[in-house]
Amino acid sequence: MPVYTDMVKDIELPNMIEVHQTFSRPKIVEIEKAVRAELEKEGIGNKIKPQMKIAITGGSRGICNIPVILRTIASFCKECGAQPFIFPAMGSHGGGTAEGQKDILAGLGVTEEACGCPIRATMEVEQIGVTEEGHPVYIDANAAQADGVIVVNRIKPHTAFRGPYESGLMKMLTIGMGKHVGAQVCHRAGFGRMDHLVPLFGREVLKSGRILFGLAILENAYDETCHMEALLPEAFASREPELLKKAYELMGQILFDSADVLIVDEIGKDYSGEGADPNISGAFPTPYATGGLKAERRVCLGLSPASHGCGYGCGLFDTISKRLYEQLDLDATYTNAITNTVLTAVQIPMMLPNDRDAIRTALRSCNNADMENPRIIRIANTAHIEKIYISTALVEEAKGNPSLELVGEPQPFPFDEEGNLLPN
């Protein structure tokens, strides 16, 4: 046994109890009907003309119902006599390769069969303009050669900066559609300038006249589709900040102020650009955004299959398990970090042989924890926090919150024979 694991073998982990968190839950039930209602709005659908080649953005995030949404848009385009196709609009993700980006879409259920139209993946770009400050502006070559582009994206708080435009339509125009080349141009100045650069680049793309309209999507705290809105290009600038405020109001959170240790079973690009959404976990990659849970130590145990090995965000944790380490594809991980210039997010944390040692080491290294009654929270991932687990030290606090429901009785951590946790 290594000395470092021998040092934590006597650390007693507390029993954990299941807790259900309750949030506001507006929800769209009939997704296809809702998409069509937006497309049929005056001034939206009639922009699609017969024989037009229409490019539809496909992002790398795990947006709820995205295959249905994209399929409905493609079907509407075909009914109008147009020729739609989907293109990956995800900056440098997928290892910065066309095949990697197509694989990411497939992992999200976005395939030619599911969406009823071709998927055209390339990393080639065309320059379509120059910003007012002299930056070259690029977009995907297939999109540049189309007769029009439909921008589809979820609007939500960003994980590394704050501004009137965070994750949404303008960022999709700026970084997603810009592919690896465009993303590098925008990221070069760092996240401290992103609140300025996203609208600066976005305005230039809109000025090109290639954007037909956008479909903005909002999700509730359960990651369910709750609002959709088709926007003409001239409405992006004024309406998106209003929708972002609404997204902040809808966002879920861990309903405790602090913990000694936060355990995240799995990170992944399908959950957040940072693998684990810092707005939930509290572990931000830059100083330009704050919020989330205050925790002295954070532990990560696995990587989602949909990430295809991209472990961007693992560096925001204090300890990780060996099984997460073995899931990392450094090509995909480092490509993402070099592009956005935040290298700390991919630094390899202290790696322990199994989940139990990763958790024990995190707790052992806390300076402020009551080791007899540590405050520990465990979540499956930051996208699904309706069910979490808390240690017995947090039970009284939970009882005082009407939005929290204790379920069952406290139980020991369910480790298998190798010291890894069974699925949450």
Side-chain angles (χ1 to χ4, degrees):
M1 177 183 292
V3 173
Y4 58 87
T5 55
D6 187 55
M7 289 177 67
V8 301
K9 65 180 174 58
D10 294 327
I11 295 292
E12 293 290 334
L13 295 178
N15 287 345
M16 305 289 286
I17 185 169
E18 183 178 327
V19 175
H20 291 180
Q21 301 197 124
T22 303
F23 307 100
S24 172
R25 199 167 190 169
K27 181 181 177 181
I28 296 175
V29 177
E30 298 184 70
I31 300 299
E32 183 175 346
K33 182 178 179 180
V35 174
R36 283 189 168 272
E38 291 303 307
L39 297 179
E40 290 168 358
K41 287 189 336 189
E42 185 177 354
I44 298 294
N46 58 12
K47 293 196 118 189
I48 301 170
K49 306 296 184 185
Q51 304 307 313
M52 286 180 71
K53 294 180 176 63
I54 307 293
I56 306 168
T57 63
S60 57
R61 301 293 182 256
I63 299 173
C64 186
N65 297 305
I66 194 63
V68 177
I69 293 169
L70 295 179
R71 182 180 70 230
T72 304
I73 295 171
S75 178
F76 186 89
C77 289
K78 288 190 285 187
E79 291 166 15
C80 294
Q83 301 168 35
F85 67 89
I86 294 168
F87 70 99
M90 55 183 78
S92 66
H93 297 171
T97 69
E99 194 57 37
Q101 296 202 340
K102 198 168 182 179
D103 285 345
I104 285 180
L105 289 181
L108 300 173
V110 178
T111 63
E112 295 185 349
E113 295 74 22
C115 298
C117 69
I119 294 178
R120 297 180 184 168
T122 181
M123 297 307 294
E124 297 298 319
V125 294
E126 287 190 15
Q127 183 175 344
I128 61 166
V130 179
T131 70
E132 300 162 7
E133 298 177 1
H135 312 90
V137 178
Y138 301 94
I139 67 170
D140 177 279
N142 288 323
Q145 293 161 17
D147 297 309
V149 179
I150 299 173
V151 185
V152 182
N153 205 15
R154 175 181 57 198
I155 293 178
K156 64 175 292 187
H158 198 271
T159 56
F161 73 94
R162 296 287 180 252
Y165 311 94
E166 295 183 20
S167 287
L169 299 179
M170 291 291 261
K171 182 169 175 284
M172 179 68 89
L173 295 176
T174 300
I175 295 174
M177 286 177 53
K179 312 298 286 192
H180 194 175
V181 173
Q184 287 188 103
V185 172
C186 191
H187 278 297
R188 195 164 292 141
F191 278 101
R193 293 270 292 160
M194 201 62 72
D195 62 329
H196 170 71
L197 293 176
V198 164
L200 181 71
F201 278 71
R203 285 194 299 269
E204 195 61 36
V205 178
L206 292 171
K207 195 188 303 181
S208 74
R210 288 173 165 83
I211 308 302
L212 297 179
F213 57 85
L215 183 68
I217 303 164
L218 296 183
E219 292 180 355
N220 61 28
Y222 300 86
D223 279 356
E224 298 166 331
T225 311
C226 66
H227 181 80
M228 282 188 281
E229 195 168 319
L231 300 175
L232 290 170
E234 54 267 30
F236 280 28
S238 60
R239 183 59 177 153
E240 183 168 337
E242 297 171 351
L243 291 173
L244 179 60
K245 289 179 183 177
K246 188 176 180 71
Y248 267 96
E249 295 168 2
L250 290 164
M251 184 174 62
Q253 59 183 305
I254 296 173
L255 296 174
F256 294 87
D257 291 332
S258 64
D260 299 315
V261 177
L262 172 67
I263 303 164
V264 180
D265 285 4
E266 192 173 76
I267 63 171
K269 280 295 185 181
D270 45 333
Y271 304 133
S272 170
E274 264 60 40
D277 190 339
N279 296 296
I280 306 297
S281 72
F284 287 85
T286 75
Y288 309 113
T290 58
L293 180 77
K294 296 180 178 67
E296 188 171 356
R297 294 286 182 263
R298 295 177 178 85
V299 183
C300 185
L301 304 175
L303 183 63
S304 72
S307 292
H308 294 276
C310 181
Y312 187 86
C314 71
L316 305 178
F317 290 82
D318 299 291
T319 65
I320 62 172
S321 67
K322 184 179 180 181
R323 62 190 178 93
L324 184 153
Y325 177 80
E326 291 175 341
Q327 292 172 311
L328 293 177
D329 177 338
L330 295 185
D331 275 346
T333 303
Y334 289 173
T335 297
N336 194 172
I338 292 169
T339 300
N340 70 22
T341 73
V342 183
L343 304 187
T344 55
V346 297
Q347 292 176 355
I348 306 299
M350 190 173 184
M351 184 267 289
L352 284 303
N354 55 40
D355 296 355
R356 181 170 50 218
D357 285 341
I359 297 167
R360 282 175 169 174
T361 301
L363 179 57
R364 169 68 173 76
S365 65
C366 284
N367 299 123
N368 301 307
D370 176 351
M371 299 301 286
E372 298 296 320
N373 294 287
R375 296 159 56 88
I376 299 178
I377 297 175
R378 179 190 175 197
I379 64 175
N381 54 67
T382 54
H384 302 100
I385 54 172
E386 60 272 20
K387 182 177 80 171
I388 68 175
Y389 291 86
I390 63 171
S391 61
T392 49
L394 288 163
V395 166
E396 289 306 312
E397 184 176 339
K399 287 180 178 177
N401 189 331
S403 295
L404 296 174
E405 177 191 1
L406 296 168
V407 179
E409 297 297 325
Q411 301 289 335
F413 276 91
F415 294 114
D416 63 18
E417 291 181 357
E418 295 181 352
N420 291 322
L421 282 171
L422 299 172
N424 190 335

